[in-house]
Every structure is written in C-alpha cells, then in structure tokens.
Amino acid sequence: MASPSSSRQPWTGANDPFIVASGAMVSKSNSPEVYQNEGSASESSAPEPKKRQPPRSITLNACTNCKKARTKCDGGRPNCARCITRQVHEPCEYVLHTKAAKEEMMSAIRQLQEEIRQLRQQNKTLSERNDILETILQSLKDDTQRQETGMLGGRPRTARPSKPDQPFSPAAKGAARLAAGATTELLRRRKFIIGGCGLLVGFIAYYHISVRRSASQDVAPQDFDFSTRYNATASTFDYDVDRTEWMYGFTKLRKKLIQKAHGNVLEAAVGTGRNSEFYNLNHISSISLQDQSKEMVEIAKAKWRNIHPEYEHCRFITGSALERLPPPLGRAEDEGYDTIVATISLCSTLGPSLFLRNLAGHLSHRNMATQASASGASDSKESLPARILLLEHGRSYFSWLNKSLDKSAPAHAKKYGCWWNRDIGKIIEDSGLEIISCQRKHFGTTWSLELGLPVEAKGENRQQWLEDTRQKIAELQAGAKPEHVVWRARMRAEDEVDRRTKELDAWRREQREKMKKHDP
C-alpha cells in the first residue's frame, strides 16, 4: 500500500482550473524550473528607475525677491547670491514659513527648559548651604548665651523641647562639623585677644614701675661709660637680648646690613658675635673682630669657629676702638679697611662722635674694594667705595617717648651698660661724617646708616684729620670728671661683689654635688 505522500502529483499548471478556464495552455516543457527561469529573465530585462540626486544645499527659506521671481535662493545674508548678481543694494528680506517658525520655536522652548532645570539645581544647592549656615549661626548664638550666663553668674535658660530624633542627612552632619569648628576657632580667638590685652597691660604696668623706680634712684651722668658691665653680663647677654631683638625685628635689620660688607672688613664692638652668621664670605677677603671685653671676645671666637670652621682669614682683637687699630690681615700699616661694621655700639662707648671719627680714620683711602672668595684669591674687581655700616638705637621722633627713655635710661645703662636715649643724629653730625643712606624704624628709635669719609678727610688732609681726632680722644680720656671718678669706683665695687657672689654660688653648687655623691 502506497503512502499518502506518494499518491500526490506535482503541480504542472494543467490541472489548475483557473488556468484551464482562461484558455491558457501550458506545455509539458513548462515545468516549475522553466517557469521560474522565464520569470527571472523578464525581471532582469525591465529598466531600472533613476535615482534622484540630493541637492547640494538646502535652503529652508528664500528671500522675497527670489520668491517673486520663482527662482532658487541660497539664503545668503545680508544678500543672497542672485540679488548680489542683479546688484540689489538693499538687504534681502526673509519671511519665515510656518514650518520653519515652528522648528525655531521648539528649539527655543527646549533651551528654556534646560535653563529652568539648571536654575532649579542651583536653587537646591543654595537652600542646602542656607540650612548649614543657619545651623552654624544658631550654634554660635547658643554658645554665646551659655558664656554670658556663666560670666554673669546667672541661671541657664530653660532649654527648648527637642524634636524627635531624626536621621541626620550628610548636609546636617557637615553643618554640625562646621559649627563645632567655628565655635572652637571663636573661643581660640577670644582667648588670644584676652591674653594679648593682659600681656599689654602687664607690660605697661611693669614699664611704669621700672621708670618710677629708676627715677627715684640716684642718677648717673649721661656721658658715663658703663661698658665694663659687659664683662659681668657676657655669659647671659645673648639670652637677655634674643627675645627683644626678635620681637622688634633687629635680627632682620642685622642681616640686611651685614650682607653689604665687602673686601677687608673690621667689626668694631663685636660683642658676643651676633652678626657672625650673616656675613657673605664670598665677598670678603679678610675679617677682624674687635671688642674691649675679653669675656665677650672669647664667646664671639667660639661662635665664629662653630659657624665658619673652615674660614682662616679671621682674627680677634681685644681692645678699645678709640685706640689705633691694626691694619687688615696681610696689608701694610698705611692701608685701611674697605668696610667697618658697628652695631649697637654708640650707646655703650665713651665719646661716640670720636668713636666714629676714629673708625673713619681706618677706612681705606682707595676707592676700590676687591671681591674675593673665602680662600683670598680675587676673581674680579668692582669699584665699591669704603663704608661704615651702622645699626644703632637712640632717641625718637616723639617727645613723649623721649621723656620715657630719659627717665629709664640710667637704670637700663647700669644693668646692661647701654644708654638708649642718645641722639644718634647729633652724634653723626658732630663726627663730621657723610651720610650716604639712612633708614629709621620703631618710631624713629632704630637707625640703619651707611657713612662715608667727609671731603676734609680725603686726600692730603686725611693725615691732619686723623691727628686731630686722636688728640681729642686723648683729652677726653685724660679729663675725667669728679662724678665720673666716683661712679667708676662704685661700679668696680659692684662688679667685685657680683664676681664674689658668682664664685660663692658656684662653690655651693659644687658642695651640693659632692653631698649627693656621698649619700646612699
């Protein structure tokens, strides 16, 4: 028995009633394959439709002139190409179509919507910041109220009922941290202001008491030489003046002035060597450090060797700057120094104007200074005049401050060996030196100067000028006043008492150490 699939006959078109009714005859050769081939041949022989080329440029709107002429318009502004060709001088006028106007309107709407979205975002951010600032302000108000209540000794105000606990947002947490930081900073500033005012009041009271006490004591002559006090205060001098000089900016003034030193340098009244760290050794050929206090010279020597251990062109001189000073290292007797430095020295010397004249007499008469390296080998020469670099303190611009300085000057000079009420301008005028530059600070009490030789001390008159200076110095040292003799004897006695007191204290410390060693 044959399967159902084998009984089916392939379609030939002859058994199709629609084709038979229409009278179409299909031959045996018209198999499905042949029919398909014929159909494909007919399709390939049909002509292909032409594709439309896209326009080179599309103009959404034409000007009114081109619309009237019914011609193409390139949309150029202010004139299109056709109007330019026809020499139309008036600008083209464009009237929007409904479709183009709608597109422009929709674009404007979308732009406005974007701006509204950005403004809403900014408004949200500002609102969060405003909440943070309100929290900080409320916290500061509460802290202020608590402090005022504590200061006045009153009862604290009744606290407002707190709101139920709510989870803190990040903005609220940040506000709390900012409020705590702002409160701490406010308290710190208040403590600083109150502490500063207290220190100022204490300083004024201490200064007033010191002035009254010094005014009630016996007053030494204004021209008395207290420089011997430096032998007793040499060991504690740096500790006593470090804080004061830093507070008033003396350290910066020293550094700025000492950087100008060049060539062969002499520092008169070197003290404990407070300028040693500021010298630029690349511009210095040799340096001589002088002071009349042997104890201070030893301290300055140790300090210099600690700061500049490899520098060899240095020497230390113990003696008065009113005497004849030796020439620079490796130089002849008639040669002088290119730079002479004196800082805080006029206040503690006898005859300060003669002190300056004697220093000026040791300046080099040649208007040339050699810049040398630390080894002493000169690399290049530069025309630099010989100078005296001076940093001093003295009288002020203001009379009220000068009165205070005058009242407290004797006690200060007796303790530190320094007369801080001397008129620096008058001293320089009496010396006859030429002022090259001058700068005053701290109400005019601090002087920073550069001095040079006057005209009468140059050339052939230089030797006569030096002889006159040395004669005046000899007269000053020989003509001791009676009150000076009394005060000098008194100072010797006080120095002897101080020396013995220190020896006794040292002996007591030594005995205590021995007792500690013997105790079990």
Side-chain angles (χ1 to χ4, degrees):
M1 184 173 180
S3 62
S5 60
S6 61
S7 62
R8 293 181 181 176
Q9 299 296 326
W11 184 86
T12 59
N15 54 358
D16 193 337
F18 180 77
I19 297 177
V20 173
S22 60
M25 298 301 294
V26 179
S27 62
K28 293 181 179 180
S29 62
N30 289 339
S31 61
E33 293 80 6
V34 176
Y35 182 78
Q36 290 175 1
N37 291 337
E38 289 179 355
S40 61
S42 62
E43 289 177 1
S44 62
S45 61
E48 295 181 358
K50 295 182 179 180
K51 294 183 180 180
R52 182 180 178 184
Q53 296 181 355
R56 296 181 180 179
S57 61
I58 299 175
T59 304
L60 297 178
N61 194 14
C63 67
T64 54
N65 294 332
C66 294
K67 282 182 179 180
K68 291 178 181 179
R70 296 183 178 273
T71 57
K72 292 183 179 180
C73 181
D74 60 354
R77 296 176 184 270
N79 294 88
C80 62
R82 179 177 176 277
C83 292
I84 292 174
T85 305
R86 297 177 64 86
Q87 296 182 357
V88 177
H89 300 291
E90 296 180 357
C92 292
E93 182 181 358
Y94 293 89
V95 180
L96 291 176
H97 289 295
T98 305
K99 182 178 180 181
K102 183 178 179 181
E103 291 179 355
E104 291 188 3
M105 183 177 64
M106 292 302 296
S107 176
I109 290 173
R110 285 192 293 270
Q111 185 177 0
L112 290 175
Q113 288 176 348
E114 179 64 22
E115 292 180 358
I116 291 172
R117 187 189 66 79
Q118 293 179 359
L119 291 174
R120 286 178 178 175
Q121 184 66 26
Q122 294 178 1
N123 188 22
K124 182 179 178 181
T125 305
L126 293 176
S127 299
E128 293 177 355
R129 293 182 179 177
N130 189 23
D131 295 339
I132 294 174
L133 293 176
E134 288 180 356
T135 306
I136 295 173
L137 182 60
Q138 185 62 35
S139 177
L140 293 175
K141 288 181 179 179
D142 295 341
D143 292 340
T144 305
Q145 291 175 359
R146 284 195 294 269
Q147 291 177 3
E148 291 177 353
T149 305
M151 290 179 182
L152 297 176
R155 295 181 179 178
R157 297 181 180 180
T158 305
R160 297 179 181 178
S162 59
K163 296 182 180 180
D165 296 336
Q166 297 180 356
F168 286 104
S169 63
K173 292 180 180 179
R177 286 195 295 269
L178 290 174
T183 305
T184 305
E185 180 67 18
L186 180 62
L187 293 175
R188 188 185 69 82
R189 290 184 179 180
R190 286 185 177 180
K191 291 179 180 178
F192 178 77
I193 294 172
I194 294 173
C197 293
L199 288 175
L200 180 61
V201 172
F203 175 77
I204 293 174
Y206 171 76
Y207 182 77
H208 181 68
I209 293 172
S210 300
V211 170
R212 290 178 63 87
R213 183 179 299 173
S214 62
S216 61
Q217 296 175 354
D218 50 346
V219 179
Q222 286 289 332
D223 55 349
F224 183 72
D225 185 11
F226 278 104
S227 58
T228 55
R229 296 295 299 166
Y230 291 112
N231 293 326
T233 60
S235 58
T236 60
F237 182 79
D238 287 336
Y239 177 79
D240 293 337
V241 302
D242 272 341
R243 188 175 301 174
T244 305
E245 288 200 357
W246 176 82
M247 185 184 303
Y248 288 101
F250 260 83
T251 305
K252 292 183 179 179
L253 294 175
R254 285 179 183 270
K255 183 177 181 180
K256 183 179 179 181
L257 187 70
I258 299 303
Q259 291 288 324
K260 300 178 181 179
H262 61 272
N264 296 307
V265 179
L266 167 67
E267 182 174 352
V270 65
T272 58
R274 300 184 63 81
N275 299 325
S276 299
E277 59 181 315
F278 304 130
Y279 283 103
N280 187 356
L281 299 182
N282 294 325
H283 297 165
I284 294 176
S285 303
S286 67
I287 184 168
S288 302
L289 305 176
Q290 174 273 334
D291 200 278
Q292 64 178 346
S293 173
K294 182 179 179 181
E295 288 78 3
M296 284 198 165
V297 169
E298 293 298 325
I299 296 175
K301 185 186 297 184
K303 189 179 295 185
W304 179 273
R305 290 175 178 173
N306 185 33
I307 298 173
H308 310 289
E310 299 179 358
Y311 192 77
E312 300 178 355
H313 303 274
C314 176
R315 68 175 172 185
F316 297 87
I317 305 170
T318 302
S320 175
L322 292 173
E323 301 172 357
R324 186 182 182 91
L325 299 173
L329 281 171
R331 300 288 176 148
E333 288 291 334
D334 59 341
E335 294 191 21
Y337 294 90
D338 301 311
T339 306
I340 296 179
V341 179
T343 57
I344 317 301
S345 56
L346 298 182
C347 59
S348 58
T349 184
L350 179 65
S353 59
L354 296 177
F355 171 82
L356 288 179
R357 287 175 65 92
N358 190 48
L359 292 182
H362 290 83
L363 283 175
S364 175
H365 58 277
R366 299 175 302 158
N367 194 23
M368 179 69 70
T370 303
Q371 290 186 350
S373 61
S375 62
S378 60
D379 300 329
S380 62
K381 291 185 177 180
E382 181 182 355
S383 179
L384 295 173
R387 291 283 187 266
I388 294 179
L389 304 180
L390 204 63
L391 179 64
E392 297 294 338
H393 62 150
R395 301 186 72 80
S396 170
Y397 298 123
F398 306 101
S399 58
W400 59 268
L401 184 54
N402 291 331
K403 291 179 182 178
S404 299
L405 292 175
D406 292 338
K407 289 181 179 180
S408 58
H412 183 81
K414 185 178 179 181
K415 183 177 181 180
Y416 296 105
C418 164
W419 290 96
W420 62 5
N421 63 334
R422 286 183 173 176
D423 192 345
I424 304 300
K426 184 68 167 55
I427 291 172
I428 297 173
E429 182 181 355
D430 293 342
S431 68
L433 299 182
E434 178 186 357
I435 298 178
I436 299 172
S437 66
C438 177
Q439 184 181 10
R440 298 180 68 176
K441 290 188 175 183
H442 307 138
F443 300 102
T445 58
T446 303
W447 297 64
S448 179
L449 303 112
E450 290 186 41
L451 306 178
L453 281 172
V455 178
E456 58 270 16
K458 296 179 180 179
E460 299 177 354
N461 299 329
R462 181 172 180 270
Q463 191 63 30
Q464 182 64 34
W465 191 76
L466 289 176
E467 292 178 359
D468 294 342
T469 301
R470 288 167 186 161
Q471 184 178 357
K472 292 179 181 179
I473 293 174
E475 293 175 357
L476 176 66
Q477 293 174 344
K481 298 179 182 179
E483 58 269 22
H484 289 188
V485 175
V486 174
W487 271 91
R488 193 172 292 114
R490 180 176 176 179
M491 295 302 299
R492 288 197 191 100
E494 292 182 359
D495 291 343
E496 183 65 20
V497 171
D498 292 339
R499 185 183 64 81
R500 293 188 178 184
T501 303
K502 290 181 180 179
E503 291 179 355
L504 181 60
D505 292 339
W507 180 82
R508 287 176 178 174
R509 286 194 298 268
E510 185 179 354
Q511 295 300 319
R512 291 194 197 100
E513 293 295 333
K514 289 181 180 180
M515 293 177 63
K516 288 180 181 179
K517 291 180 180 179
H518 290 293
D519 289 342

